[in-house]
């Protein structure tokens, strides 16, 4: 035991009712963040018209993503210092205040700033929820709850766009933000009570403010470049290249800070942990491919297959349902298999093969076969998500859970931004690179459609290549035995 570690007794196991109330509370908190990323999309045209500013409409989404991605690791570190409960309550509170500000925004600028505030709260919801599950459930039993997490995301992916369109068309666009008030207050109330019995593993630490500033600055510069590249400015423009350069310099300074600070924002022991490093790399590749496909497959279904906008949303369900099924299968197998990596490795092979099939025949497959391929892709991708999360959490001490989980989610978000930008460059370039949305795909000329078919050939191959990289990272990840008791995990934390 280190000199500064308090002599803490092992926490008493929580009963099933307490664990269930904690899980329900944090799933509600996660739903806040997941739903907010999807419910806004279908209301954007209405928001632009009513606020009289269509030019800056993309910033309603970008401002949230920039803020949420940048602060995700900070929430993890803060929770390791001050505890999960107070940190999650702060995250929910900021999210609620930001939602009210969005609903009351009189101008586009005010809405964009309010969305950034909302993102500052939303950035902690998902990461903290995953960390809290790790606090109350042993790694060996944690897989089943990862399936619940996946179901939250799929529910939001299916329900969010429908609700956003209904609210914008039949009520008012502000309702998409007002709905966060009862949901947020419900989550706050459940977290306030349920998490009182949450085991505490925090220690005396100092937050590396300079390291945090450098990391946030580097992240914002990189995401601005990825957001503007190919849309607002050409990829080789001075603005985009300059932002990439600023991001690179700040990342170098951040790395130097990690090497020299007495207590860096991300401990080197966590960064150099072979499970954390390779597991995060696998999550980076796989989650990026998943988000990229979920955004651009509807474009494929409309522009190439010829479905309507509403039918393309329904046709996307096999991808989402497959992801939930794969996550549940892998999560349950983790508790029963010694070599638990085999499930996601096989899953990635299946998903990559399905993507190669789509790439080989981008316009020659019947719809039912496209749906089967999408289900196979989702099934394979879903198997990776619980295995990487649980393996990373299983490899670190309890007082480092927040930091490790926050870093993993940060790089998953960054991977999503990079892949979405790359897929966008491939697809939008085929239809003129003018940022056409799926709603205009019915007006494609035959030449543009042919270009789109070729673009999706390369996009599906790029997605398969991303999964191949994820396969290599997962193959290199050390397969450590899963701890079977949270109390035992807590004891190990005291001697780190």
């Amino acid at each position: 035991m280190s000199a500064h570690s308090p002599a803490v007794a092992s926490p008493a196991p929580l009963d099933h009712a307490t664990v269930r109330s904690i899980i329900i509370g944090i799933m509600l908190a996660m739903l806040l963040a997941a739903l907010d990323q999807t419910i806004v999309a279908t209301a954007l045209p209405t928001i632009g018209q009513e606020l009289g500013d269509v030019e800056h409409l993309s910033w309603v989404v970008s401002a949230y993503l920039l803020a949420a991605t940048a602060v995700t690791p900070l929430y993890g570190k803060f929770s390791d210092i001050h505890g999960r409960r107070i940190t999650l309550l702060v995250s929910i509170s900021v999210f609620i205040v930001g939602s009210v500000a969005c609903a009351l925004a009189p101008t586009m600028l005010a809405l964009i700033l309010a969305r950034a505030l909302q993102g500052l709260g939303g950035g902690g919801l998902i990461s903290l929820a995953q960390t809290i599950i790790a606090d109350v459930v042993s790694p060996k039993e944690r897989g089943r709850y990862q399936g619940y997490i996946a179901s939250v995301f799929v529910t939001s992916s299916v329900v969010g766009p429908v609700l956003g369109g209904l609210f914008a068309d039949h009520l008012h666009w502000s309702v998409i933000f007002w709905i966060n008030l009862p949901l947020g207050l419900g989550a706050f109330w459940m977290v306030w009570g349920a998490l009182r019995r949450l085991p505490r593993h925090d220690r005396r630490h100092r937050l590396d403010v300079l390291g945090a500033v450098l990391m946030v600055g580097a992240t914002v510069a990189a995401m601005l470049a990825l957001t503007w590249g190919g849309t607002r400015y050409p990829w080789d423009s001075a603005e985009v290249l300059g932002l990439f350069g600023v991001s690179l310099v700040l990342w170098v300074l951040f790395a130097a800070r990690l090497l020299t600070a007495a207590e860096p924002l991300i401990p080197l022991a966590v960064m150099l942990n072979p499970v954390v490093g390779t597991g995060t790399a696998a999550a980076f590749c796989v989650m990026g491919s998943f988000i990229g496909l979920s955004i651009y497959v509807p474009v494929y279904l409309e522009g190439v297959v010829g479905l309507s906008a509403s039918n393309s949303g329904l046709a996307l369900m096999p991808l989402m349902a497959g992801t939930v099924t794969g996550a549940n299968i892998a999560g349950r197998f983790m508790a029963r298999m010694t070599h638990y990596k085999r499930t996601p490795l096989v899953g990635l092979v299946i998903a990559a093969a399905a993507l190669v099939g789509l790439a080989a025949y981008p316009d020659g497959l019947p719809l039912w076969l496209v749906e089967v391929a999408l289900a196979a892709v989702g099934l394979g991708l879903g198997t990776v998500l619980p295995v990487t999360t649980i393996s990373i959490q299983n490899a670190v001490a309890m007082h480092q859970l927040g930091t490790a989980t926050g870093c993993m989610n940060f790089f998953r978000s960054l991977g999503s931004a990079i892949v979405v930008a790359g897929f966008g460059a491939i697809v939008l370039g085929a239809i003129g690179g003018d940022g056409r949305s799926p709603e205009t795909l019915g007006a494609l000329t035959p030449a543009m459609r042919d270009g789109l078919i070729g673009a999706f050939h390369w996009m599906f191959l790029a997605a398969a290549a991303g999964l191949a990289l994820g396969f290599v990272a997962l193959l290199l990840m050390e397969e450590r035995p899963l701890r079977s008791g949270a109390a035992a995990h807590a004891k190990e934390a005291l001697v780190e």
Side-chain angles (χ1 to χ4, degrees):
M1 183 183 300
S2 58
H4 62 279
S5 301
V8 184
S10 299
L14 300 178
D15 59 78
H16 177 69
T18 301
V19 171
R20 183 177 57 190
S21 65
I22 291 175
I23 296 297
I24 293 173
I26 63 175
M27 285 183 67
L28 188 55
M30 290 183 69
L31 181 63
L32 278 174
L35 188 63
D36 199 74
Q37 295 177 18
T38 59
I39 197 172
V40 175
T42 48
L44 286 178
T46 303
I47 294 174
Q49 291 174 8
E50 293 205 11
L51 295 182
D53 187 351
V54 178
E55 180 182 356
H56 300 98
L57 202 57
S58 63
W59 276 99
V60 175
V61 176
S62 299
Y64 180 92
L65 292 177
L66 282 168
T69 302
V71 301
T72 295
L74 298 182
Y75 274 108
K77 182 70 173 181
F78 194 85
S79 74
D80 284 340
I81 297 174
H82 299 289
R84 320 287 188 224
R85 178 173 173 269
I86 184 63
T87 308
L88 184 55
L89 289 174
V90 169
S91 179
I92 294 173
S93 299
V94 174
F95 186 87
I96 292 174
V97 172
S99 298
V100 173
C102 288
L104 297 174
T107 65
M108 183 60 72
L109 177 60
L111 178 60
I112 291 170
L113 294 175
R115 283 284 286 171
L117 176 62
Q118 194 184 36
L120 293 178
L125 295 177
I126 294 173
S127 178
L128 288 171
Q130 292 177 325
T131 306
I132 290 168
I133 290 177
D135 282 329
V136 299
V137 183
S138 70
K140 202 169 185 64
E141 299 296 325
R142 204 171 296 157
R144 69 182 65 177
Y145 297 101
Q146 298 298 323
Y148 299 157
I149 291 175
S151 68
V152 169
F153 284 100
V154 173
T155 300
S156 67
S157 298
V158 175
V159 175
V162 176
L163 287 179
L166 289 174
F167 291 159
D169 290 341
H170 302 290
L171 296 174
H172 189 264
W173 63 263
S174 62
V175 178
I176 67 177
F177 299 111
W178 284 122
I179 196 175
N180 289 330
L181 192 58
L183 288 175
L185 291 175
F188 189 96
W189 176 75
M190 293 198 70
V191 168
W192 178 272
L195 265 61
R196 286 185 179 277
R197 292 189 59 193
L198 191 69
R200 294 288 296 267
H201 307 290
D202 42 293
R203 298 185 179 187
R204 294 175 63 95
H205 291 290
R206 289 187 304 171
L207 184 63
D208 180 15
V209 177
L210 178 57
V213 170
L214 290 172
M215 187 206 66
V216 170
T219 304
V220 170
M223 293 197 68
L224 281 174
L226 293 169
T227 301
W228 284 344
T231 54
R232 188 181 182 95
Y233 303 105
W235 284 104
D236 59 354
S237 65
E239 290 83 359
V240 173
L241 294 178
L243 284 169
F244 277 128
V246 170
S247 178
L248 179 60
V249 170
L250 291 176
W251 280 121
V252 171
L253 293 175
F254 177 66
R257 177 65 181 174
L258 293 183
L259 294 172
T260 57
E263 191 169 353
L265 180 68
I266 303 174
L268 290 178
V270 172
M271 290 192 67
L272 299 177
N273 184 304
V275 177
V276 175
T278 52
T280 299
F284 176 97
C285 297
V286 173
M287 180 57 77
S289 298
F290 172 71
I291 297 299
L293 289 170
S294 66
I295 290 176
Y296 285 104
V297 163
V299 181
Y300 168 75
L301 293 170
E302 293 176 47
V304 176
V305 180
L307 300 182
S308 65
S310 57
N311 286 336
S312 70
L314 294 174
L316 190 65
M317 291 183 67
L319 176 67
M320 301 301 182
T323 304
V324 175
T325 303
N328 275 290
I329 290 173
R332 293 184 181 278
F333 278 6
M334 283 194 79
R336 303 170 185 172
M337 297 176 63
T338 302
H339 300 291
Y340 48 82
K341 285 199 311 183
R342 292 176 180 174
T343 304
L345 288 174
V346 172
L348 285 177
V349 171
I350 294 172
L355 286 169
V356 170
L358 289 171
Y361 303 99
D363 67 334
L365 296 177
L367 179 59
W368 70 267
L369 196 51
V370 171
E371 297 288 75
V372 170
L374 291 177
V377 171
L379 187 71
L381 293 175
T383 59
V384 180
L385 305 181
V387 172
T388 52
T389 300
I390 295 171
S391 297
I392 288 170
Q393 293 174 335
N394 182 65
V396 299
M398 292 294 282
H399 65 278
Q400 295 175 329
L401 270 179
T403 299
T405 307
C407 288
M408 178 196 67
N409 279 286
F410 167 75
F411 283 106
R412 290 204 320 190
S413 297
L414 194 59
S416 300
I418 292 173
V419 172
V420 167
F423 285 5
I426 295 172
V427 174
L428 297 179
I431 53 177
D434 57 358
R436 275 186 176 85
S437 65
E439 288 77 10
T440 67
L441 291 175
L444 291 177
T445 65
M448 294 172 68
R449 183 179 180 276
D450 289 341
L452 200 59
I453 292 171
F456 276 107
H457 164 77
W458 291 109
M459 195 204 80
F460 287 132
L461 285 181
L467 297 192
L469 292 175
F471 180 93
V472 173
L474 194 62
L475 195 63
L476 295 174
M477 187 181 76
E478 184 180 341
E479 200 171 44
R480 297 183 180 178
L482 297 179
R483 301 182 180 99
S484 58
H489 197 174
K491 288 180 180 179
E492 291 187 22
L494 296 177
V495 297
E496 293 286 334

